[in-house]
Amino acid sequence: VREKSIFTKEELDYLLQQLDEKGLIQAKCLLRLIMSSGARVSELLRINMDMIDLENVAFEGLFLETTKEIKVKGMGTGGKKIYRYLIKDLFEPYYLEWVPIREKIMKENGQEHNSLFIKKDGSPATVCVLRTMMNGWGEILGKPWYPHSGRHFWTTYLLSIGCEQEFVQELQQWSTSAMVAIYNDATAKDREWKGLSKLKLHLDKDKVITDIEELTK
C-alpha cells in the first residue's frame, strides 16, 4: 500500500521554482494545471487549447471555466461530462508563459493540433509523456509524488482557506460529500476558523481592561 503524500502550497511552489530554474516551462504549466483543477491525469489531456478562454470566467472571476464539458470518471461505463474550473491566478501566468513556446515547437515541426501539452517533436502528448514530465518531482519534494496528489492538494487547499464543502463538491460535480472527505487532508488546525477572530477580539478587550486597571492602581 502506497503511503499517502500530503503537499502544502508552499511545497508545490518550491517545486515550481525548481522547475523554473531547470527551464522546464511545460512542466511548470502542467503542475499549475494540476494544482488549479484537481483533475485526474487522464483528464488533463482533455483540457485542450480550444477549451481555454481567459475571458470565460466564473465565480466572481476567480475561476476559468472550460468552454466545453470534458469526460471524467463517473457512474456508468461511459463516465460523465462536466465543465472544469481552474483557479485563474494559479494557472493563467504559467499558461501564458507556455503557449508561445508550444507554438514555436509546433511550427518548427510542422504540427497543427489543439493539444495543450506536446512531445519534443510537437505532436500531442500522451498520459505516458505527462508521467515522464513528473519523474523526479518526488525527489525534489522529498516525498513520493503521484498525480492523484494534485487532487488531494486542490481539495485541501480550497477547504483550508475557507471555501465551503458544498462549493468544492459542486466544482468537481461529485455526487456525494463523501468524496470531499476522501480528498480533504486538512486537520482542524489547518482550517481558517471565523470564530477565532471573535476570541481574539474578546482577549484583546480583556487585556485593555487589565492594563487600565493596572494603571489606575
Side-chain angles (χ1 to χ4, degrees), residues 72-122:
V72 298
K73 185 177 180 181
M75 298 297 291
T77 56
K80 62 181 180 181
K81 289 188 175 183
I82 69 170
Y83 288 99
R84 268 284 172 217
Y85 295 96
L86 318 178
I87 303 174
K88 191 172 188 290
D89 284 354
L90 288 187
F91 177 68
E92 183 177 11
Y94 302 90
Y95 169 76
L96 291 175
E97 182 183 17
W98 164 238
V99 167
I101 298 173
R102 169 190 174 275
E103 291 177 352
K104 182 175 182 292
I105 295 172
M106 290 179 58
K107 184 176 180 180
E108 290 174 347
N109 288 276
Q111 295 282 347
E112 290 186 15
H113 56 77
N114 64 358
S115 295
L116 174 58
F117 300 113
I118 59 177
K119 299 178 182 179
K120 291 181 179 180
D121 64 359

Side-chain angles (χ1 to χ4, degrees), residues 5-59:
S5 297
I6 299 174
F7 297 106
T8 65
K9 184 173 182 297
E10 290 71 24
E11 287 176 311
L12 295 184
D13 283 345
Y14 172 75
L15 171 58
L16 193 77
Q17 178 186 342
Q18 296 301 304
L19 296 175
D20 184 63
E21 291 180 1
K22 296 176 185 294
L24 301 175
I25 310 303
Q26 180 171 212
K28 286 170 56 182
C29 185
L30 173 62
L31 174 59
R32 278 308 206 192
L33 181 58
I34 292 170
M35 292 173 66
S36 65
S37 69
R40 295 173 178 274
V41 64
S42 58
E43 297 166 10
L44 298 172
L45 291 177
R46 297 172 191 153
I47 301 175
N48 58 45
M49 299 293 294
D50 296 338
M51 292 185 179
I52 300 173
D53 177 355
L54 300 182
E55 300 301 319
N56 190 42
V57 296
F59 304 108

Side-chain angles (χ1 to χ4, degrees), residues 60-71:
E60 300 184 24
L62 296 175
F63 288 80
L64 295 174
E65 180 183 36
T66 55
T67 58
K68 296 180 182 178
E69 294 176 312
I70 69 168
K71 182 181 176 183

Side-chain angles (χ1 to χ4, degrees), residues 55-207:
E55 300 301 319
N56 190 42
V57 296
F59 304 108
E60 300 184 24
L62 296 175
F63 288 80
L64 295 174
E65 180 183 36
T66 55
T67 58
K68 296 180 182 178
E69 294 176 312
I70 69 168
K71 182 181 176 183
V72 298
K73 185 177 180 181
M75 298 297 291
T77 56
K80 62 181 180 181
K81 289 188 175 183
I82 69 170
Y83 288 99
R84 268 284 172 217
Y85 295 96
L86 318 178
I87 303 174
K88 191 172 188 290
D89 284 354
L90 288 187
F91 177 68
E92 183 177 11
Y94 302 90
Y95 169 76
L96 291 175
E97 182 183 17
W98 164 238
V99 167
I101 298 173
R102 169 190 174 275
E103 291 177 352
K104 182 175 182 292
I105 295 172
M106 290 179 58
K107 184 176 180 180
E108 290 174 347
N109 288 276
Q111 295 282 347
E112 290 186 15
H113 56 77
N114 64 358
S115 295
L116 174 58
F117 300 113
I118 59 177
K119 299 178 182 179
K120 291 181 179 180
D121 64 359
S123 60
T126 61
V127 170
C128 182
V129 170
L130 298 191
R131 291 185 182 277
T132 297
M133 276 196 276
M134 297 180 204
N135 285 344
W137 288 10
E139 293 180 12
I140 295 173
L141 291 163
K143 47 189 169 183
W145 165 269
Y146 45 96
H148 233 50
S149 299
R151 174 164 282 202
H152 280 269
F153 164 79
W154 182 91
T155 305
T156 304
Y157 174 66
L158 289 180
L159 291 172
S160 67
I161 61 177
C163 289
E164 298 88 343
Q165 176 178 295
E166 294 80 8
F167 179 61
V168 172
Q169 182 180 344
E170 177 65 27
L171 290 180
Q172 291 288 347
Q173 287 293 289
W174 284 326
S175 58
T176 170
S177 60
M179 293 297 292
V180 181
I182 289 173
Y183 290 107
N184 180 21
D185 295 324
T187 65
K189 292 182 291 185
D190 296 322
R191 291 183 57 186
E192 291 186 1
W193 297 93
K194 295 180 180 178
L196 291 179
S197 61
K198 297 179 181 179
L199 174 60
K200 184 177 184 300
L201 182 64
H202 183 77
L203 294 174
D204 288 344
K205 181 180 178 181
D206 284 350
K207 185 176 184 301

